[in-house]
Amino acid sequence: MKVREVYIKTFGCQMNEHDSEKILGILFSKGFIETDDPKKADIIIFNTCAIREKAEQKFLSNLGKVKFYKIKNPKIKVIVAGCSAQIQGKNLIHKMPFIDYIIGPDNIDKIEKIVEESLDKRILLEENANIHLLSLPILRKDRVKAWVNIIYGCNNFCTYCVVPYTRGKERSRPANMILEEIKHLSEKGYKEVTLLGQNVNSYRDGEIDFPILLQRINLIQGIERIRFVTSHPKDLSENLIKTMRDSPKICEHIHLPLQSGSDKILKLMNRKYTFNEYFDKVSLLRENIPNISITTDIIVGFPQETDEDFEKTINALKKSQFDGIFAFKFSPRPKAPASNYRGQVDEYTKSERLTEVLRLQDEITEKNNKIYQDTVQEILVEERTEEGVIGRTRSNKIVKIKSNLELGQLVKVKISKTYRHSLEGEILQ
Ligand code: SF4
């Protein structure tokens, strides 16, 4: 009997990447193998992202091509999963009737029933209150680093964001399930875990909050590095900062999305902090963990953002001296309230502001990287290339090393060259 093949294309964030690992885990347990050629596949899956219009357009153009594969081979099953599936729902099937199934992020476990052909419904979008209690098989591609979900959904309702409408309300996974999963990963040789959640800081399982969870993970033998994304600044507590400082395995890096330097815009975004409150936390992080690297997200051209508001973002970047940023133009999304705000900013102004932000941040990133020149860093080797290996510092900087080190090795490296987006190093004998 022919082995069935799955083609999967993932868009968007780490949460989606990890969901795809679970979808593949389920399918491999049913005997499927992965193919990178959609024309050969028995199942084609798009795991979609709705966060920005661009990501959605990219997925729609990919999906358009699939129609022709389906005409040639009507047996191919086409599944659209992820946040865009959740938002667009049956509209997507109306527009593209060749889609067989639409499944939202809370329903990825239904893939099993789809391949067993024991499901009548084609549209699976209902909130699954128990997704955080399921132990789904996971096909992890990386052998050194692993993602681990700790909390699903989000209760924050930032006015530009669709996540609370696509991934539902916050549900924390039981701590014992998380700890078991990480122990198992360490037995399999994983060295680094990244804890995932829309807002990891609001994790809670009874008495166990996020700092306590981190302290327990810190005790797991074999795991050498702990990272987490994403932290909402309003929930970053002093206790968490002290836990980061006092737990040797927690890496000296935090991604702390600022979004805007203007308090007026932060209020319109419903972010629940002012820039000064945000900056106080940055200062507290740097006081406690002097070599921490801090990265952020910035949105330019949010409705009603004037030149003066934008200038405040520029000043915030100068003052904060981030190690890196992800900057985007505001993108109106269905269901997100800010899409209907008055004072939408024109595309030309958004593009100009984005260019200015990126140019400034490039200078800051390059300057921050220069500080690493001639320092000794611990590197975890993550990838092999033709020229050698690539690893990361604890502060999440990419380091290229001309060497044939093994994947998963932790080595001390002297930084010999610095660039804007990476460093080069030599192994210390
Ligand atoms: S915290 Fe805000 S931006 Fe982040 S997922 Fe929740 S609503 Fe979206």
Side-chain angles (χ1 to χ4, degrees), residues 146 148 182 185 191-195 217 223 225-227:
V148 177
I182 297 176
L185 288 167
K191 293 285 185 296
E192 179 178 308
V193 287
T194 300
L195 311 178
I217 297 170
I223 296 296
R225 290 181 168 194
I226 304 167
R227 301 185 188 275

Side-chain angles (χ1 to χ4, degrees), residues 165-202:
Y165 310 96
T166 60
R167 290 185 178 263
K169 52 182 172 302
E170 283 176 0
R171 286 145 292 167
S172 291
R173 274 180 88 196
N176 59 357
M177 275 180 79
I178 297 168
L179 295 168
E180 273 311 305
E181 183 174 334
I182 297 176
K183 275 182 203 151
H184 193 61
L185 288 167
S186 97
E187 282 158 17
K188 287 172 110 179
Y190 283 89
K191 293 285 185 296
E192 179 178 308
V193 287
T194 300
L195 311 178
L196 288 183
Q198 247 72 40
N199 180 14
V200 287
N201 297 358
S202 57

Side-chain angles (χ1 to χ4, degrees), residues 135-373:
S135 280
L136 299 173
I138 302 172
L139 187 89
R140 298 181 195 271
K141 301 228 169 118
D142 200 301
R143 291 274 151 257
V144 178
K145 306 179 295 173
W147 289 308
V148 177
N149 283 120
I150 64 162
I151 181 167
Y152 291 84
C154 182
N155 293 349
N156 286 310
F157 292 92
C158 301
T159 58
Y160 52 83
C161 181
V162 292
V163 166
Y165 310 96
T166 60
R167 290 185 178 263
K169 52 182 172 302
E170 283 176 0
R171 286 145 292 167
S172 291
R173 274 180 88 196
N176 59 357
M177 275 180 79
I178 297 168
L179 295 168
E180 273 311 305
E181 183 174 334
I182 297 176
K183 275 182 203 151
H184 193 61
L185 288 167
S186 97
E187 282 158 17
K188 287 172 110 179
Y190 283 89
K191 293 285 185 296
E192 179 178 308
V193 287
T194 300
L195 311 178
L196 288 183
Q198 247 72 40
N199 180 14
V200 287
N201 297 358
S202 57
Y203 176 85
R204 182 166 284 278
D205 175 20
E207 295 300 301
I208 304 176
D209 62 4
F210 188 48
I212 297 176
L213 181 72
L214 283 170
Q215 286 156 18
R216 297 201 180 164
I217 297 170
N218 189 61
L219 296 175
I220 297 177
Q221 280 203 348
I223 296 296
E224 305 289 349
R225 290 181 168 194
I226 304 167
R227 301 185 188 275
F228 50 84
V229 277
T230 295
S231 291
H232 195 304
K234 77 174 165 52
D235 299 317
L236 178 69
S237 64
E238 195 169 341
N239 190 19
L240 174 56
I241 294 174
K242 290 192 171 145
T243 299
M244 291 175 73
R245 181 195 65 194
D246 299 337
S247 309
K249 293 179 182 174
I250 301 178
C251 290
E252 292 81 12
H253 169 238
I254 190 165
H255 187 68
L256 197 63
L258 167 64
Q259 308 300 10
S260 171
S262 154
D263 291 344
K264 178 191 100 186
I265 298 298
L266 287 171
K267 193 153 192 245
L268 285 168
M269 289 175 166
N270 192 30
R271 290 292 286 172
K272 301 192 182 87
Y273 53 81
T274 62
F275 174 65
N276 281 343
E277 285 163 352
Y278 177 94
F279 192 73
D280 283 348
K281 299 210 175 175
V282 166
S283 304
L284 197 62
L285 278 160
R286 290 192 171 135
E287 264 163 43
N288 280 276
I289 312 162
N291 48 351
I292 193 166
S293 83
I294 304 178
T295 52
T296 201
D297 293 337
I298 294 289
I299 296 174
V300 297
F302 190 84
Q304 298 170 43
E305 185 188 70
T306 59
D307 287 345
E308 205 186 1
D309 294 313
F310 176 65
E311 208 44 44
K312 288 182 178 162
T313 298
I314 290 292
N315 289 336
L317 293 177
K318 287 180 183 161
K319 188 167 178 188
S320 305
Q321 295 288 304
F322 295 111
D323 285 84
I325 62 168
F326 294 100
F328 306 98
K329 295 190 265 184
F330 170 75
S331 167
R333 307 306 302 129
K335 294 203 176 179
S339 312
N340 301 318
Y341 280 2
R342 63 177 174 80
Q344 298 286 326
V345 176
D346 64 88
E347 272 308 303
Y348 180 77
T349 307
K350 282 187 204 172
S351 299
E352 279 208 314
R353 289 180 184 169
L354 182 64
T355 307
E356 191 173 341
V357 157
L358 293 174
R359 191 194 45 73
L360 169 64
Q361 185 56 43
D362 273 352
E363 280 171 22
I364 299 172
T365 306
E366 197 165 341
K367 184 173 74 74
N368 282 357
N369 280 359
K370 283 201 171 119
I371 298 170
Y372 282 74
Q373 181 70 42

